[in-house]
Every structure is written in structure tokens, then in C-alpha cells.
Amino acid sequence: MDLAGYNEEMSDSISSDEVKHVANLARLRLTSEELETFTEQLRAVLDHAKDVEALQLDDIEPMSHPLPIENTMREDIPNQMLRPSEFLSEAPAVEDGRFLVPKILGEEA
Amino acid sequence: MSGRVPEKYQSASEIADLVTTREISAVEILDRYLNQINEHEEDVHAFNLVTINEARAAAKETDRLIVEGEKPGPLAGVPVAIKDNLCTKGIPTTASSKILEGWKPPYDATVVKKLKEAGATIVGKTNLDEFAMGSSTENSAFGPTRNPHDLSCVPGGSSGGSAAAVAAGFAPIAIGSDTGGSIRQPAALCGVVGVKPTYGGVSRYGLLAFASSLDQVGPFATSVKDAAIVHEVIGGYDPLDSTSIKQASNSFVQVIDEGVNKLKVGIISELMGGIDGITHEVIEQTNKAVSALSDAGAQVEEVSLPAALYCLSAYYLIAPAEASSNLSRYDGVRYGLRVDGANLKEMNVNTRTEGFGDEVKRRIMLGTYALSAGYYDAYYGKALKVRRLLAENFADLYKDYDVLLSPTSPCTAFKLGAKVNDPMTMYVNDVCTIPSNLVGHPAISIPFGSGKDGMPIGVQILAPPMKESVMYQAARTLEQASQ
């Protein structure tokens, strides 16, 4: 099996601006010190992943799961489920049988 | 650890027999183990929580059933420690993260439910790397667990608390989860048996998700037979887990002593020196295991698993990608920690920034990046193709071989703090265990000798999906050879 191909379009190393962007997408805030450390560490992991990026695998089907699973449906019969109150009792803030969150309307996206 | 529970009370099957025949009560067994916990837990820190009152109530109930002539189940009175990422009804479940502070699940994980039904006594929740992300149990919000064989060393991870609990004699059985080696690697480092079952063979219902296509729940034990007994109890189809295998058959113990005569065993050459970083003494010890199998009548040959060279990289793209999606649920709305903010986004950011530790943040960001536009094909997409290649490699090998063999961990237990600041060095600890997770196959780690430092070494046996019987037979043979 010859896996080690040559890929001309290898990605550049991750930049601190990209880490900042990704942190924002993941709803995380980083101090400038953390940004520096995380950038360095993520770069090391992604540099290691260059071996995978360099492989020529055009004819291979991706495999996202170990089992060939389709949608799994259960029989449409009533069974005993947890009551909403059992979940709500563990939430940080609740009002009128619902999860309470800070104001959303009028917020910038 | 001094003051261990006497040998006749160390095996799960023997405890169950003695309790069932009323030679000793479940409460007495529990008290013996609680004494050992009392004496050494301060040094080891295997537990996030010891549930003394609930355990005593459960043991009393087991004794009551037996007195009344009812069948108590195959684990009657057996103390079991549960990794703290498995839901226990009304008992705090933290995943060793600040973000789940104060959370009490409203239900039991299926595995926990089955253990209780089998008569087990749940003794507590064990420490782990936060959300099972790590190989040393140092990434816990509640402080590290220490290796009972040498308190200056890590127990491995992420199920380090469970492995240490069994090694320290705090419980004869513990339950862990294995996403990239998180049962097998700590089992190897702590000198106990650890099993990752076939993906879909044991229910994941009630397991806090890390990487859903890789996660699997399994047992730690002091013997192969005990591990098989617990595997039979916790395994089987569960309609509450949509990835549960319907034809899950579980009878391993019955055939465990059938030996390895005529069995064909492949030694994975890539993990015996082909990949850098696997220490000489580990390879040497694994070769002794090869000889032991050969002496017992197995036909042993060296084989190649070429895609193994790329598994570490593929795993550290796939697992973080799935984690970044799974951990988006920790948003300060439905459970655990909320740190207020002026609006919803600020509240989400404040909660997650304060609630997650560094390794979890690192993996969430790595996964978010690997899935992001422009990088998806280069990283995540490529990793999934490596996964397919690996599955094809395995399928080819299993046409000719019954089981495969390799080291479990590239090295013996290392010192606390030695690798914690260098993620890539830490990740290499999983190099031998990751392939089984990527393809969903079962694997077991069995203690087999020790290194120059006197610390345990584990050998790994890999088997095709749902072929745990033959895996346990080979493991049992190695266990007998090592005694």
C-alpha cells in the first residue's frame, strides 16, 4: 500500500488570529497569554497532522462511524419518560416550567 | 497498599458466591473495602465522591434479598466504583469539570442500572481527566489521581481514578470509558485488567458524550474472568442507545478457559518498533507475551497494519471534532454552572470560559478548526478516509488471524507533571490503543510483568467486532503465563 503521496496544497500553520476566531465560534474567551500558548500548542498538533493531510486518498470513501447505521426509530408506543420537572430542577434558572435565559431579542448576532 | 482486603475477598466472582451463600454479608464486604478507602484515599485520590450512605443501603438491601431467599444476581455484594462521567441518579456527576458543578442527573446510566440489578454495591464516583480528555488524570478540576504502585507517578487516563481504585484495593471492580485508550492505558499503568468492548456492545446511555463514534464503556478488574463477568452484566442491546447492537450476545465466561491451541495471532509490527516512542522494555515484555502464547499452542506471526502510522493524527482530528460539537451543550442554560452576562452570548462565553479547563478548551478549539470552512477536507475529511483505510487493513488481517497483539501503552507510568504542558507528547500515550476505537473493535489490556522502574507493563489483545470470546481466551492464557 503506497499512502505517502505529495499534496501541493498543504495548509499554512494556524495563526493566532485564527485561534481567536475559533475561540469566538466555540464561545470561549482567551487572555492574550492564553492565546499565545494555545496557538503554539494547536500548531504542534496540526503540524503532526500534516502526515494525514499529505496523503493521497481521493478514491477512499470517508468513514464517519464504526457501524453502518441508518436512522434508528423506536416503536411509536407511549412509555415512561422523565417528567419535565425532573430536568428543570437541575437548571441554573427556571421560570414557569421553562429554562430562563438572558434577553435574546434585540441582541446583535 | 497496606491493609488490603484479604485475598479471598478480592475476586468479584468469589465475593458474589460468598455473599449469596451467606458466608459473609454484603455489608461486611463493603465495610472491608471502605476501610481500605479510608486508609489510603487521601494519598491516591481515586474518587471524586465516596457514596457511603447509598452503598450501605444497597448492601443491606442485597443482604435482605438473600435472607428472604430471592436471587441476588451475579454481582451480589460486589463493590463497584463508577467513573464520574456516567450518570448516577441523584448523585453528583461531574466529569471532573467545574462546568457541571452541583449537577445531579435525574436518571441512572444503563450500565449503572444493570450493575445495581446484578446486586453490585456502587461505592462512589471516580476521578478522570475532565470530560475524559487526557492520558494521566491530571486534567481534573479536582486535582490529580496518583498511581498506587508509586504515588509520584500518574495512573494513566482518562479513567485513572477507576484504574487506581482497583489497583489500590478500594473496589474489586470499576467501570470506565474508553475513547482512545482511556480504559486500557490506565489499566496497563496500574497493573490491572481493562476492557474496551465492541462499539455498540455496551450501552452508552447516560455516558456524558466526548466523541460519540469512539466512546465505549467497559470494566476494570483484577482478573480476566472478573472482567468478563462484569462485561456480561453490563453488555447487551439497549433501546435507549441508538448505536446499540441488536444481536449483542454476551457469553464469555463459559468459554474463557478454552485456551489458544491452534489460534492464529498476529503481532502488529508497526507497534513493535515501527512507530517511534514505544520503549524498548515495553517491546521486550510484549515479545515475552508472544512467546507465552506460542508455548500455549498458538500460531504467532508478525503482521503489518500500515494505516496504524496515521492513526494518532487522524484520532486527534476526529475526536476533537466530535467533542467540539458534543460539548456545545454546556452553555449555562440546562445544567450545572452559569456565569451571568449582559446577554445570552456573554453568559455562554463567561460560563464556558470559567467552567472548562485548558485541555478541554484546546480540544474544542482544535475540533472547531478541523471542521471549519476551508479546512474540513484537509483535516476532518482526510482523517475519516484514514479511518476507512484502517478498517480495511483490519478486515484483511482478520481473514487470516483470530486476534492481534501489541503493547497497550508505549511506556510505564510517568511522573506527575512530566508531560502535562506538552499536549503532543501526552497524546502519544494513546498510539497503541487508538486503532481499536477508530474501527469500533474490542481490545483488552492484561498486566504482563514490569519495567526497570518496577512499574507495571500491559499487553493488549485486539479482536474483531463481537468476537470478545476469543479475546478473553487469549487474555486468560496470558494471565496464567504471567502468574
Side-chain angles (χ1 to χ4, degrees):
Chain A
M1 186 165 62
D2 183 21
L3 292 172
Y6 176 70
N7 191 335
E8 288 181 5
E9 290 164 37
M10 296 287 277
S11 310
D12 294 334
S13 282
I14 190 168
S15 68
S16 65
D17 277 350
E18 282 176 305
V19 174
K20 213 184 214 172
H21 173 64
V22 162
N24 178 54
L25 291 176
R27 298 292 185 263
L28 295 168
R29 188 187 308 110
L30 305 180
T31 64
S32 52
E33 212 173 89
E34 283 172 331
L35 180 63
E36 202 179 310
T37 314
F38 280 131
T39 303
E40 205 177 294
Q41 291 169 334
L42 294 185
R43 198 172 281 163
V45 179
L46 290 165
D47 281 349
H48 189 275
K50 294 268 180 226
D51 61 350
V52 163
E53 205 193 348
L55 298 174
Q56 295 290 356
L57 303 171
D58 293 344
D59 303 333
I60 312 276
E61 272 294 300
M63 174 175 151
S64 62
H65 202 272
L67 302 173
I69 284 183
E70 305 276 313
N71 281 338
T72 305
M73 307 288 206
R74 69 167 174 84
E75 292 293 313
D76 188 19
I77 43 172
N79 58 10
Q80 209 184 347
M81 306 295 281
L82 289 168
R83 289 186 301 276
S85 62
E86 290 177 275
F87 286 104
L88 289 166
S89 68
E90 290 301 316
V94 170
E95 196 177 279
D96 295 337
R98 295 178 175 84
F99 296 114
L100 188 64
V101 296
K103 195 173 166 195
I104 298 172
L105 292 177
E107 187 195 328
E108 282 178 50
Chain B
M1 299 273 121
S2 63
R4 266 181 185 283
V5 171
E7 201 164 324
K8 61 177 174 171
Y9 304 136
Q10 284 177 19
S11 138
S13 58
E14 278 174 47
I15 291 172
D17 284 349
L18 294 171
V19 168
T20 304
T21 54
R22 292 173 66 183
E23 242 170 89
I24 187 167
S25 71
V27 171
E28 277 173 87
I29 288 287
L30 173 66
D31 283 339
R32 285 174 181 272
Y33 279 94
L34 288 178
N35 278 343
Q36 177 73 353
I37 293 172
N38 226 354
E39 197 134 321
H40 298 289
E41 169 61 3
E42 207 182 313
D43 294 333
V44 178
H45 186 221
F47 289 96
N48 286 340
L49 181 69
V50 180
T51 50
I52 297 175
N53 294 336
E54 291 81 359
R56 197 155 275 144
K60 273 186 186 160
E61 175 63 10
T62 302
D63 287 333
R64 189 190 65 81
L65 284 176
I66 292 166
V67 169
E68 288 179 6
E70 286 186 52
K71 275 207 157 169
L75 295 177
V78 176
V80 177
I82 305 283
K83 190 178 184 179
D84 202 14
N85 61 350
L86 281 157
C87 288
T88 41
K89 187 174 180 177
I91 307 282
T93 298
T94 68
S96 288
S97 179
K98 270 204 297 194
I99 212 158
L100 277 169
E101 211 168 68
W103 182 59
K104 291 181 188 148
Y107 59 91
D108 274 333
T110 296
V111 166
V112 171
K113 192 168 154 263
K114 288 188 167 194
L115 287 165
K116 286 180 178 175
E117 285 166 1
T121 308
I122 309 292
V123 291
K125 306 298 293 286
T126 58
N127 198 13
L128 62 146
D129 287 297
E130 185 178 0
F131 284 104
M133 297 178 189
S135 310
S136 68
T137 317
E138 291 169 290
N139 302 327
S140 163
F142 310 121
T145 296
R146 291 166 184 272
N147 193 313
H149 294 273
D150 178 348
L151 296 172
S152 70
C153 290
V154 302
S158 68
S159 315
S162 288
V166 173
F170 295 165
I173 299 293
I175 303 296
S177 67
D178 189 315
T179 305
S182 280
I183 291 173
R184 291 160 287 157
Q185 183 257 10
L189 269 48
C190 288
V192 298
V193 175
V195 180
K196 184 202 98 69
T198 302
Y199 183 88
V202 176
S203 172
R204 291 185 298 114
Y205 180 71
L207 170 69
L208 303 186
F210 157 16
S212 306
S213 81
L214 305 163
D215 298 341
Q216 190 57 204
V217 179
F220 289 91
T222 55
S223 73
V224 174
K225 189 180 167 197
D226 274 3
I229 289 171
V230 176
H231 190 167
E232 286 185 2
V233 167
I234 62 176
Y237 175 66
D238 179 14
L240 296 173
D241 174 358
S242 63
T243 58
S244 182
I245 296 177
K246 277 215 169 97
Q247 69 274 24
S249 80
N250 287 306
S251 84
F252 315 125
V253 183
Q254 223 183 325
V255 292
I256 205 165
D257 282 317
E258 288 191 1
V260 293
N261 196 23
K262 301 270 177 342
L263 213 67
K264 286 196 80 177
V265 182
I267 315 304
I268 303 174
S269 60
E270 283 78 5
L271 302 178
M272 294 291 283
I275 292 176
D276 285 347
I278 300 171
T279 59
H280 181 69
E281 61 179 10
V282 166
I283 293 173
E284 199 176 22
Q285 206 55 39
T286 311
N287 275 323
K288 285 187 190 160
V290 171
S291 306
L293 286 178
S294 173
D295 291 346
Q299 196 182 327
V300 190
E301 285 164 15
E302 195 153 297
V303 300
S304 176
L305 189 73
L309 299 171
Y310 303 96
C311 284
L312 194 65
S313 289
Y315 174 85
Y316 278 100
L317 295 169
I318 293 169
E322 294 190 21
S324 72
S325 167
N326 270 327
L327 271 63
S328 65
R329 76 191 59 182
Y330 301 103
D331 55 5
V333 174
R334 286 156 292 172
Y335 19 65
L337 183 73
R338 169 182 289 192
V339 182
D340 284 325
N343 54 42
L344 183 64
K345 180 177 175 186
E346 215 173 274
M347 185 276 282
N348 293 156
V349 171
N350 291 347
T351 301
R352 290 165 65 82
T353 300
E354 194 172 316
F356 288 138
D358 282 353
E359 181 61 22
V360 172
K361 288 177 181 171
R362 208 149 35 226
R363 297 212 197 178
I364 289 174
M365 290 191 285
L366 188 59
T368 306
Y369 182 73
L371 291 174
S372 63
Y375 297 104
Y376 183 97
D377 290 333
Y379 290 122
Y380 183 66
K382 271 280 170 67
L384 294 185
K385 291 181 172 190
V386 169
R387 199 174 186 181
R388 171 80 60 197
L389 274 183
L390 181 72
E392 288 170 0
N393 284 177
F394 270 118
D396 285 344
L397 287 178
Y398 284 131
K399 281 178 200 156
D400 297 320
Y401 298 90
D402 298 294
V403 293
L404 304 175
L405 187 136
S406 81
T408 306
S409 163
C411 58
T412 57
F414 43 93
K415 299 282 179 195
L416 266 86
K419 300 182 180 181
V420 78
N421 293 319
D422 182 356
M424 206 55 233
T425 306
M426 186 68 90
Y427 296 170
V428 174
N429 287 300
D430 303 332
V431 70
C432 304
T433 44
I434 279 172
S436 305
N437 296 87
L438 287 173
V439 293
H441 294 184
I444 185 171
S445 179
I446 314 108
F448 204 83
S450 51
K452 290 189 298 287
D453 53 5
M455 298 300 278
I457 287 176
V459 169
Q460 180 180 225
I461 292 167
L462 304 84
M466 302 309 287
K467 297 280 195 227
E468 274 99 338
S469 297
V470 68
M471 176 186 91
Y472 280 119
Q473 284 163 14
R476 178 91 180 100
T477 304
L478 277 188
E479 180 180 52
Q480 283 165 331
S482 73
Q483 281 158 359

